[in-house]
Each structure stands twice: as structure tokens, then as C-alpha cells.
Amino acid sequence: MDAHLEKLWNALEKIDDHVVTVRAWGGKLAGVLTAGGRLLACGNGGSAAEAQHLTAELVGRFRDDRRPYAAIPLHADGSSLTAIANDFGPEEMYARQVRAHGRPGDVLLCLSTSGGSPNVLAAARAAQELGIVSWSMTGPAPNPLADLCDEAVAVPAEETATVQEVHLAMIHLLCDALEDAL
């Protein structure tokens, strides 16, 4: 087997116990979204791409044709992002948007391969302040983001690419669970 695929295979075997958590998230998120709440998602680099992939599945569709749900990738509004980073610093670029868009009962999903990104940690703290549920998908635990969020899925893999690939599988699992709950 190719070395890259072997790392992915090994990581997937180690996260099987997280399936229950992610499926539970899908059920909870279905309840939030059908009640008019929203999902906010954030991450940097590849994790931002994963956050946007998730929100696209919710606003569009994953498997089944259904109504669209409110899901916002916090990195996607370039004007707000650059203005906030310029005026308040890069650590506030997600937290300020959580404060603007988030309401108690909403969900914030934070993605970070390191689990230590300052702007993602600030977003999770803002969610706590507002009564917003926070979940994280990270690389190996322990890490500050997994400790800060209400619940976490930590992928025990050292390579960023492997962590991101597992995060995508977990995102698809979350969408599948959400649609099953609907």
C-alpha cells in the first residue's frame, strides 16, 4: 500500500470511536437547523476549505434534496475578514463574526489541525460567551482547542494532510447523520 494511504488507513482505524460523537452531532445539528438556528464554521488554510465544504453541503445538499439550512463559513466574506483583521487584529477575525452572526443555541464548528490557532481559539471563546455550542475537529489531543470546545474529535495523526482527510470523512459522516435525523 502507498505510504500516504497507509497513514490515512491507520488514522481512520484509530478514530472509529469518534463515529458515535459525530453521528450525535448530526442529530443535534438537525434540531438546531430545523428550529431556525445556524451553523458557523471556521478554520485556516485547508481547514477553512473543509469548513466551507461543510457549509456548502448544508446550504445546498449532501445526499437528499431538502430545504437549505443556515450555515456560514466565517472565512468566506473577504471584505469583513480583511477589515476585522486590519482594525482588530487577525486573532479577532472569527471571534468578531461569531459575535455578529451567532445566537444562543447556534453551533460553531472549529477546525484546526494543530488545535492551537489563535483566531480559532478566540472564536471558540466568543461562542462560550454567547451560549453557542462549540465543537472542534483537531489533530492529536491534548490541544487547547479540544479542551476549550464543548466536544471534540481529535485525529491521532501527525501529518496535516492526513488530519484534513479524516476531517473531510467526519464532515461527510456529520452530513449523513444530519440527513438521517431529518
Side-chain angles (χ1 to χ4, degrees):
M1 177 181 284
D2 180 78
H4 178 81
L5 294 177
E6 187 172 356
K7 290 174 191 171
L8 179 58
W9 181 268
N10 290 334
L12 286 169
E13 285 184 324
K14 293 176 186 171
I15 56 110
D16 196 45
D17 57 326
H18 289 308
V19 169
V20 172
T21 300
V22 174
R23 286 212 168 271
W25 289 0
K28 292 174 189 174
L29 187 57
V32 168
L33 296 175
T34 58
R38 65 189 65 93
L39 172 74
L40 307 176
C42 66
N44 296 305
S47 295
E50 301 290 1
Q52 191 164 349
H53 187 113
L54 171 59
T55 60
E57 301 285 21
L58 297 178
V59 174
R61 71 178 176 103
F62 175 63
R63 179 184 62 227
D64 299 325
D65 286 337
R66 53 157 168 75
R67 67 174 264 217
Y69 292 106
I72 304 168
L74 298 180
H75 71 281
D77 180 354
S79 296
S80 291
L81 201 66
T82 57
I84 293 165
N86 185 63
D87 295 345
F88 299 96
E91 287 185 15
E92 283 296 306
M93 60 192 221
Y94 294 139
R96 192 154 180 94
Q97 291 184 79
V98 168
R99 291 184 189 100
H101 300 299
R103 304 291 178 269
D106 288 347
V107 174
L108 171 68
L109 179 62
C110 300
L111 293 109
S112 173
T113 57
S114 69
S117 301
N119 56 357
V120 177
L121 289 165
R125 283 191 289 276
Q128 281 183 334
E129 294 165 9
L130 295 170
I132 295 171
V133 172
S134 62
W135 299 330
S136 64
M137 291 185 184
T138 71
N143 64 67
L145 185 59
D147 293 340
L148 183 60
C149 288
D150 296 309
E151 294 183 67
V153 169
V155 177
E158 296 303 318
E159 288 194 19
T160 297
T162 304
V163 172
Q164 289 172 340
E165 289 165 347
V166 173
H167 285 176
L168 180 58
M170 293 291 106
I171 284 167
H172 285 156
L173 183 65
L174 175 63
C175 292
D176 185 62
L178 180 140
E179 289 193 356
D180 283 348
L182 296 173

